[in-house]
Amino acid sequence: MRLSIACPATLRSDANNLAMVLGYGPADAETYVALNWQDAGGNLYAVASLPVSDTFTTDAQVALQRPAWDTDNIISMAAANRAQAALVFSLEPVLALPDKLTACAGDDALATLAAMGLTQVEVDI
Amino acid sequence: MTTLSLRMSLASNLRNSVSFSPASLFAGGEQGVWYDPSDLSTVFQDAAGTTPVTASGQPVGLMLDKSKGLARGPELVPDDLTTTFSSSSHIISSPTALTASSAQAEQINSGALVESGKAYRVSFTLSSYTSTGGGGVNVRVGSASSNDFAVNANGTYERTVVADGGSLVFRPNGAEVQSWVITNISVRELRGNHATQTTASKRPTYTEGGGLSWLAFDGADDAMQTAAIDFTVTDKMSVFTGVRKLSDTQINVLYELSASAAINGGSFWALPSYTGATPNTNAVWHILTRGTAFKNATTPTTFPAPHTAVQTHLSDISGDRTTLRINGVQEVQNTGDLGSGSFGNYPLFIGARNNTSLFFEGNLYGMIVVGKTTTAPETASAEAYMAGKTGLTL
C-alpha cells in the first residue's frame, strides 16, 4: 500500500519528529521540508509519499516509543505525540486540512494528492 | 555504399552494441557516473547500504556508481590492530584480534579511519560468539547508531556501507552478549560517485517488469543525490539516460548538476517537461548547459507523457554546443555562446531540484554521465546500450 501524506506548515516540526519515530534514523527529520503544495484556500503543505507495510497505519497509532537508535534523544517525543494526535488516516482520498496530518492510500501519489484537494505551487525553474 | 559494405557496417554496429560496456567510456579516467538499476549488486534499500534490494517494490536508498568498476581502494586497517583500535577494559586488542570476554556493553572504536559520505566494503570474521539472547554484535561505520548492522552468529561477513562518520565501531548489543572475537578486519573504499537518499519516504522504488528493471520516482518527494563530483577538469559532458516520463503537466527535474543550474556556472539540467518555448506545451524534452553563460535546447517535436526514451544530452562549453538527442535522433542543437570555464564541483541530483522540489514522476532505467565528448560511435553504442535497458529498439 502507498500512503501520500499532507503536512501543513504549522505541523512540519512535529511531523518530522513523528517521522523519525516511525522511520529509521535522524535523516527522517527531513521528511517534510519544502511547502510545494497548496489547498484551495491557499494553505501550504509539505508532502511525503511512500510504500508502507499493511501494519503501518496500526503501528503509527499505538503509543509511541523512542527508537533504539535515538540514544542521544534527538527526537522530541512530545512533538511526535502532537503529530500523532493530528493524524488522519483514510483508505480513500479525503481533503487535506491545515490543522491535520492527512494520510491517504492510493497507488498513484500525484493522483492521490490531487484528490486530497492539493495542487503544486508554481516554482520558477 | 555497396550492399556488401552496408551489410558489413550493420554487422559491425551490431557487434559494437552487443560488446559495448559503458565502462569503456571511462577508460581514460574520466569523471562521471554509471548507474544500472538492473544490477542488483549495486542497489540497497537504505542509504548506508546495509540491506540489499532483493525484490521489486523495495525502496532504494543507495545506488552504486559502476563508472570506476566498483574498484576498491587500499586497505585502511593496519596489520597491527592495536595501533588503531581502542576500548575499555573488557575488550582486549591484540595485533590480529579484538576479543571481548565478559558481558559488558563496551565498544571498540577505530578512531579516524573512514570519511563520512564515502562507500566502503567492510569485511571481518566473528568467532567464539556466545550470547544468552539475540542481540548480537553491532557494527557501525560512522557515528549514528541508525547506521548499525548486527551480526549474531560466527562467520565471515562482508558488507557495503556508506559511512556517516569517521570510525569503525564494534559494540555488543545488550548485556546478553557474553563473548566474541573479531579478526580479519578489512575496510576498503568502494570508489565512485554513489547516489543516496537518506530520508526513508523520499526513496524511489525498485521495480521489475517485462524483463526490465528501473527506479520508479513518485513525483511527490522521491529523489537521489551524490556527493559533489569534481568535473572541474573538463568543459565537456555527455549524459545518457533511459527514462519513461509519466507526467508532464508540471515542470520537473530528471537530473541536475548543482542545487540549481539556473544560477550555478558549470552545470546542467534535463527536464521531461518545459514551458515558455516553442511549441508552447509542456510535452517536450528540454535540456540546459551552463558555462559562464547558458543555452537551452527544447525538442521541436512534442512527446506527451507517458513517453519512454533514451535521452542524450551532449555539452561542450568552449565549443558552444548544447545537443539533445531522443532515441538516437538529434532533435535540436543550440550553438549559442556558453561562455567559458569548466563544469563545476557539485552534487548530481536525480529526480528533483536540490532534493526538495520539482519532483520527477517516472522511471529511470539507467544513467551515464561522463566528463567528455563521446565520439559518434561511442554515442551510438551508449544509446543502443541504454535502449536495451529501457526496452526500446532504436
Side-chain angles (χ1 to χ4, degrees):
Chain A
M1 176 174 66
R2 171 174 286 275
L3 275 183
S4 295
I5 307 162
C7 174
T10 54
L11 280 177
R12 270 187 301 177
S13 176
D14 290 355
N16 280 325
N17 278 280
L18 179 61
M20 285 191 283
V21 173
L22 301 177
Y24 302 95
D28 291 319
E30 301 295 315
T31 299
Y32 305 100
V33 182
L35 299 167
N36 296 328
W37 294 76
Q38 61 186 349
D39 63 18
N43 300 297
L44 296 174
Y45 298 80
V47 305
S49 184
L50 69 164
V52 298
S53 67
D54 292 340
T55 62
F56 180 86
T57 55
T58 304
D59 296 343
Q61 295 178 88
V62 301
L64 299 177
Q65 300 289 327
R66 185 178 298 280
W69 60 262
D70 189 23
T71 53
D72 297 328
N73 292 331
I74 295 170
I75 298 171
S76 164
M77 293 304 294
N81 280 307
R82 285 195 299 270
Q84 187 188 42
L87 261 175
V88 174
F89 279 117
S90 176
L91 293 177
E92 301 293 331
V94 296
L95 291 179
L97 296 172
D99 60 348
K100 297 293 183 186
L101 189 59
T102 309
C104 296
D107 290 337
D108 183 327
L110 296 186
T112 303
L113 291 167
M116 293 166 69
L118 300 177
T119 57
Q120 292 189 53
V121 176
E122 291 284 343
V123 177
D124 288 336
I125 188 70
Chain B
M1 182 179 286
T2 65
T3 302
L4 177 60
S5 62
L6 176 61
R7 284 178 179 166
M8 291 174 65
S9 174
L10 289 172
S12 174
N13 288 341
L14 181 61
R15 277 196 307 274
N16 288 341
S17 65
V18 169
S19 62
F20 173 80
S21 167
S24 65
L25 300 175
F26 303 91
E30 290 84 356
Q31 182 62 280
V33 306
W34 168 23
Y35 300 127
D36 177 10
S38 70
D39 182 349
L40 279 181
S41 71
T42 66
V43 284
F44 298 81
Q45 296 187 50
D46 57 325
T50 57
T51 308
V53 168
T54 57
S56 187
Q58 294 175 340
V60 176
L62 168 64
M63 180 165 56
L64 296 179
D65 164 28
K66 298 169 70 171
S67 72
K68 314 295 182 289
L70 297 175
R72 300 181 191 187
E75 179 58 63
L76 299 177
V77 178
D79 291 339
D80 183 350
L81 298 179
T82 61
T83 64
T84 300
F85 288 89
S86 61
S87 68
S88 46
S89 57
H90 293 85
I91 300 176
I92 301 168
S93 297
S94 76
T96 58
L98 311 174
T99 301
S101 57
S102 67
Q104 298 288 333
E106 295 170 348
Q107 66 179 26
I108 185 158
N109 190 314
S110 70
L113 186 71
V114 295
E115 292 182 45
S116 182
K118 290 189 174 181
Y120 296 89
R121 197 68 177 166
V122 177
S123 62
F124 60 90
T125 299
L126 174 68
S127 59
S128 302
Y129 174 76
T130 60
S131 174
T132 58
V137 176
N138 279 3
V139 184
R140 181 181 305 171
V141 185
S143 58
S145 57
S146 55
N147 222 12
D148 289 357
F149 63 95
V151 294
N152 55 12
N154 291 335
T156 296
Y157 298 88
E158 186 167 7
R159 298 287 181 90
T160 297
V161 182
V162 176
D164 67 351
S167 57
L168 172 65
V169 178
F170 295 95
R171 181 175 60 86
N173 185 12
E176 70 268 26
V177 179
Q178 300 293 307
S179 64
W180 44 278
V181 177
I182 303 286
T183 55
N184 301 321
I185 306 170
S186 173
V187 178
R188 299 173 68 183
E189 184 185 349
L190 202 55
R191 290 175 173 160
N193 298 303
H194 313 302
T196 60
Q197 176 52 262
T198 56
T199 302
S201 72
K202 296 183 174 181
R203 291 172 185 155
T205 304
Y206 173 79
T207 312
E208 296 174 345
L212 303 174
S213 303
W214 63 89
L215 299 190
F217 291 78
D218 65 13
D221 65 343
D222 288 353
M224 300 192 82
Q225 70 175 88
T226 69
I229 303 175
D230 188 356
F231 282 117
T232 57
V233 297
T234 184
D235 72 341
K236 296 169 178 47
M237 195 71 64
S238 302
V239 185
F240 305 89
T241 53
V243 60
R244 179 172 174 81
K245 64 173 174 177
L246 295 174
S247 170
D248 52 19
T249 55
Q250 298 277 345
I251 291 177
N252 56 90
V253 170
L254 174 60
Y255 57 78
E256 185 168 26
L257 184 69
S258 85
S260 173
I263 55 175
N264 292 314
S267 60
F268 55 81
W269 74 37
L271 314 179
S273 65
Y274 186 67
T275 56
T278 302
N280 188 20
T281 168
N282 286 24
V284 292
W285 293 94
H286 171 92
I287 58 171
L288 174 143
T289 300
R290 180 183 289 273
T292 52
F294 77 92
K295 287 292 175 288
N296 54 36
T298 305
T299 56
T301 311
T302 57
F303 297 97
H307 182 246
T308 306
V310 172
Q311 192 236 41
T312 303
H313 177 173
L314 306 174
S315 302
D316 183 343
I317 293 174
S318 59
D320 293 327
R321 283 194 297 278
T322 304
T323 306
L324 175 56
R325 296 165 58 88
I326 299 295
N327 293 335
V329 176
Q330 181 172 308
E331 286 283 334
V332 57
Q333 183 177 65
N334 191 329
T335 57
D337 182 21
L338 291 170
S340 59
S342 66
F343 285 98
N345 184 11
Y346 302 118
L348 175 68
F349 294 92
I350 304 169
R353 163 162 289 175
N354 196 24
N355 206 19
T356 58
S357 65
L358 302 172
F359 291 97
F360 166 64
E361 185 190 25
N363 306 334
L364 182 69
Y365 299 86
M367 183 173 193
I368 301 167
V369 181
V370 56
K372 71 173 186 178
T373 299
T374 50
T375 64
E378 285 176 329
T379 299
S381 293
E383 289 173 337
Y385 165 86
M386 202 58 77
K389 294 290 181 184
T390 311
L392 295 171
T393 302
L394 301 185

